[in-house]
């Protein structure tokens, strides 16, 4: 039953986000990608298969790793200005792995981890390069959506399969691995150019604030309240800030 859920839920979320991005452009696409469409289900599966304590510790590690996710997006954005997609991707993933291992080697309280994650989103957005020029005209690849789905499902299946061996901290840290983000950045880079990559990241970073709140709530609530109540509460806490960010972004576009 859980395996069936893994191969149905994550693709459904990825398809929804992808179609939304195609409909409303790279900035809104980045915002939609910031939902925990891979990390959320993965943390829930940790709770179901490894126990609530495991999921709580993993959620803390995921929260810390969001700092590295933000940094990896910044690295890709700057690299995309001068480098091809494969070099930009290599630089981005290298920065994520190095930062994640370093950050999760340190002791973090939950409030400090939340503050560091949210602070990193502000800092990274301020440090993004200027978006010069419009998007390049290009045909959408037929491999775009299948690769996004395949990569996301693979991340969930692999992490939940080796979670017992990795332990909660490493499992949680690599739950934040920006696989889906990387696919979106690469296809945006190839099809529409660096300017659209930067616009995508401008939409992605504000939406990450509620991703951090989601992880924080799961980490705090999953042990005392159980997985069902904790994840329902985390989703409920995620929606209001996402709605506020979306409203702010729409007003920014009109002005």
């Amino acid at each position: 039953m859980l395996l069936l859920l893994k191969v149905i839920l994550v693709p459904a979320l990825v398809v929804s986000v992808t179609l939304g991005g195609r409909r409303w452009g790279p900035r809104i696409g980045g915002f939609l990608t910031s939902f925990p469409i891979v990390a959320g289900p993965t943390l829930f599966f940790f709770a179901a298969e490894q126990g609530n304590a495991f999921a709580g510790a993993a959620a803390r590690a995921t929260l810390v790793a969001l700092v590295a996710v933000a940094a990896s997006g910044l690295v890709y954005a700057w690299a995309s200005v001068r480098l091809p997609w494969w070099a930009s991707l290599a630089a981005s993933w290298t920065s994520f792995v190095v930062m994640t291992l370093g950050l999760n080697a340190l002791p973090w309280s939950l409030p400090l981890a939340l503050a560091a994650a949210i602070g990193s989103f502000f800092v990274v957005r301020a440090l993004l390069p200027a978006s010069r020029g419009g998007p390049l005209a290009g045909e959408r690849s037929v491999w775009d959506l299948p690769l996004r789905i395949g990569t996301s499902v693979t991340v969930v299946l692999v992490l939940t399969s080796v979670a017992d061996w990795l332990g909660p901290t490493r499992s949680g840290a690599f739950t934040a691995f920006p696989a889906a983000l990387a696919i979106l950045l690469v296809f945006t880079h190839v099809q529409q150019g660096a300017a659209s990559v930067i616009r995508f990241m401008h939409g992605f970073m504000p939406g990450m604030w509620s991703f951090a709140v989601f992880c924080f709530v799961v980490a705090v609530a999953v042990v005392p309240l159980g997985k069902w109540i904790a994840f329902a509460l985390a989703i409920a806490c995620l929606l209001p800030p996402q709605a506020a960010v979306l409203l702010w972004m729409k007003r920014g576009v009109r002005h």
Side-chain angles (χ1 to χ4, degrees), residues 39-189:
T42 303
L43 291 172
F44 181 83
F45 295 135
F46 285 160
E49 296 173 342
Q50 304 294 333
N52 292 335
F54 187 105
R60 181 199 302 264
T62 303
L63 180 58
V64 173
L66 293 184
V67 178
V69 173
S72 71
L74 178 65
V75 169
Y76 194 104
W78 275 102
S80 70
V81 175
R82 295 185 178 275
L83 300 176
W85 70 266
W86 54 269
S88 302
L89 181 62
S92 175
W93 277 1
T94 299
S95 68
F96 173 82
V97 172
V98 171
M99 284 197 68
T100 296
L101 293 176
L103 288 169
N104 274 288
L106 302 173
W108 290 87
S109 67
L110 276 172
L112 181 59
L114 179 63
I118 293 177
S120 72
F121 307 149
F122 281 99
V123 171
V124 165
R125 195 167 191 268
L127 294 177
L128 286 169
S131 175
R132 295 187 174 90
L136 301 176
E139 295 185 4
R140 185 175 292 120
S141 170
V142 296
W143 293 103
D144 184 355
L145 187 55
L147 272 176
R148 297 179 191 189
I149 294 172
T151 303
S152 300
V153 172
T154 299
V155 169
V156 173
L157 293 176
V158 169
L159 283 174
T160 54
S161 297
V162 301
D164 191 48
W165 175 67
L166 287 177
T169 298
R170 288 185 178 177
S171 296
F174 284 97
T175 292
F177 187 77
L181 172 62
I183 295 295
L184 291 167
L185 287 174
V186 166
F187 275 98
T188 300
H189 189 183

Side-chain angles (χ1 to χ4, degrees), residues 223-241:
V223 172
L225 300 180
K227 62 180 182 291
W228 292 107
I229 295 177
F231 278 85
L233 184 61
I235 292 171
C237 291
L238 178 151
L239 295 176

